[in-house]
Amino acid sequence: METPVAGRVLPPTDVALVRRLVATQFPRWADLPVRPVEFGGWDNRTFHLGDEMTVRLPSGDWYAGQVAKEQRWLPVLAPRLPLPVPTPLAQGEPAFGYPYQWSVYRWIEGETVAVGRVDDPTEFAVTLADFLAALRRCDPTGGPEPGPHSCHRGAPVATYDAETRRAVEALGDRVPGALATEIWEAALAAGRNESPVWFHGDVSVGNLLVEDGRLSAVIDFGCSGVGDPACDTTIAWTFLSGESREAFRETLGVDPATWARGRGWALWKALIMLAEHIDTGSPQEAEARRVLDAVFREYGE
């Protein structure tokens, strides 16, 4: 189907479009088969190109700026990181009514993270923390500051103050509003004085790959940038718990203020998701409730 974006209609982002784009701009790959990936995400539409590459096309204006950023910075960051990350192979240009730049990447084997796919959650947490620590040590000079390209990840949590408070109000007695507000205000009060560092921006289960039960790669740097890395700790509430959460925090060396801001990021996302899907009985509603429960329990410990 055609997709409306910012008052205009995009052509269907499907196999036919990808084949035309690849054939005209990269004829050396024109004969390779194209098929959708199993889990294509929301920010981009992703397709297999042969067996060793993927094509990613931004799904809207708000994601289009991520293409040039990944093309520019992933080759710089990759040699300094302890796990594989996407390798850009080519950058495509708008054509056939599709208005954005797009990318070809080398395919990375692995399955997205899920509880049953991780053999040792604590080992997983330590490996992930080591990766994020290495990312933070990368030279930030010239790196992209937080903004629309990062969905404002890496910016102060206050960026989403009004949105968070509206969600609490809209949810009413469906959530402990006073507790949610207390946690949010603690995040706002936990300022950051350190110099900006690299952050991934979307450390979620869909962007972490496992093989043989162990973390094997980190993908999708579309929300990355240079700023406050607190947003990268949300995995502590969205996936980790107990011993694995503590191992993650200790290995990464997260101070109390950063932890409070990270908790705020997790709270914000869960609240707005719950407000959007309340009383739908959907998986999104269940996931938002699960994360909120984790945030509230951990805060009270």
Side-chain angles (χ1 to χ4, degrees), residues 6-300:
R8 58 183 167 178
V9 176
L10 301 185
T13 310
D14 55 15
V15 167
L17 174 64
V18 174
R19 283 175 175 160
R20 294 179 73 191
L21 290 170
V22 171
T24 55
Q25 298 186 33
F26 306 108
R28 63 188 180 277
W29 297 326
D31 294 334
L32 294 176
V34 175
R35 67 187 191 282
V37 300
E38 184 175 0
F39 300 105
W42 175 256
D43 300 1
N44 297 269
R45 301 292 183 260
T46 306
F47 300 80
H48 289 283
L49 179 59
D51 295 327
E52 299 180 354
M53 293 179 287
T54 59
V55 176
R56 279 165 51 91
L57 298 92
S59 58
D61 294 349
W62 45 93
Y63 305 121
Q66 299 176 354
V67 172
K69 177 177 61 178
E70 288 194 332
Q71 293 276 341
R72 165 70 177 86
W73 288 103
L74 279 172
V76 175
L77 298 173
R80 297 164 175 80
L81 299 174
L83 292 172
V85 299
T87 301
L89 300 176
Q91 179 175 306
E93 299 300 326
F96 305 114
Y98 179 76
Y100 311 123
Q101 293 179 323
W102 48 281
S103 292
V104 180
Y105 293 92
R106 180 171 292 117
W107 172 253
I108 301 178
E109 293 292 343
E111 296 180 294
T112 54
V113 164
V115 173
R117 294 173 179 169
V118 174
D119 289 347
D120 185 336
T122 299
E123 178 189 58
F124 170 90
V126 169
T127 304
L128 177 58
D130 284 338
F131 176 90
L132 294 174
L135 178 62
R136 295 181 184 185
R137 290 193 297 268
C138 292
D139 184 359
T141 303
E145 297 180 357
H149 69 90
S150 71
C151 299
H152 299 285
R153 310 291 168 81
V157 291
T159 303
Y160 288 114
D161 184 39
E163 191 171 273
T164 301
R165 295 182 190 277
R166 283 197 301 269
V168 172
E169 182 178 359
L171 289 166
D173 59 6
R174 292 182 174 89
V175 297
L179 177 58
T181 300
E182 178 182 333
I183 294 172
W184 179 247
E185 291 182 346
L188 295 176
R192 174 177 167 81
N193 298 316
E194 295 87 351
S195 299
V197 297
W198 275 99
F199 59 87
H200 178 275
D202 193 9
V203 183
S204 59
V205 292
N207 294 329
L208 303 173
L209 302 183
V210 292
E211 283 192 296
D212 300 322
R214 305 179 70 177
L215 181 63
S216 59
V218 179
I219 62 174
D220 196 346
F221 279 67
C223 286
S224 64
V226 172
D228 179 6
C231 57
D232 283 349
T233 65
T234 57
I235 193 76
W237 296 273
T238 61
F239 183 71
L240 306 176
S241 63
E243 182 180 341
S244 63
R245 180 187 291 145
E246 288 305 311
F248 174 79
R249 182 176 183 177
E250 180 178 353
T251 303
L252 190 53
V254 181
D255 61 85
T258 303
W259 195 250
R261 296 194 304 277
R263 187 191 293 119
W265 279 105
L267 176 73
W268 157 74
K269 185 63 178 289
L271 284 172
I272 64 171
M273 182 182 294
L274 183 59
E276 180 179 354
H277 297 280
I278 193 68
D279 297 333
T280 63
S282 64
Q284 293 90 340
E285 179 184 6
E287 175 65 9
R289 290 188 180 280
R290 186 189 67 78
V291 174
L292 285 175
D293 287 345
V295 168
F296 295 148
R297 286 197 309 271
E298 186 272 335
Y299 180 74

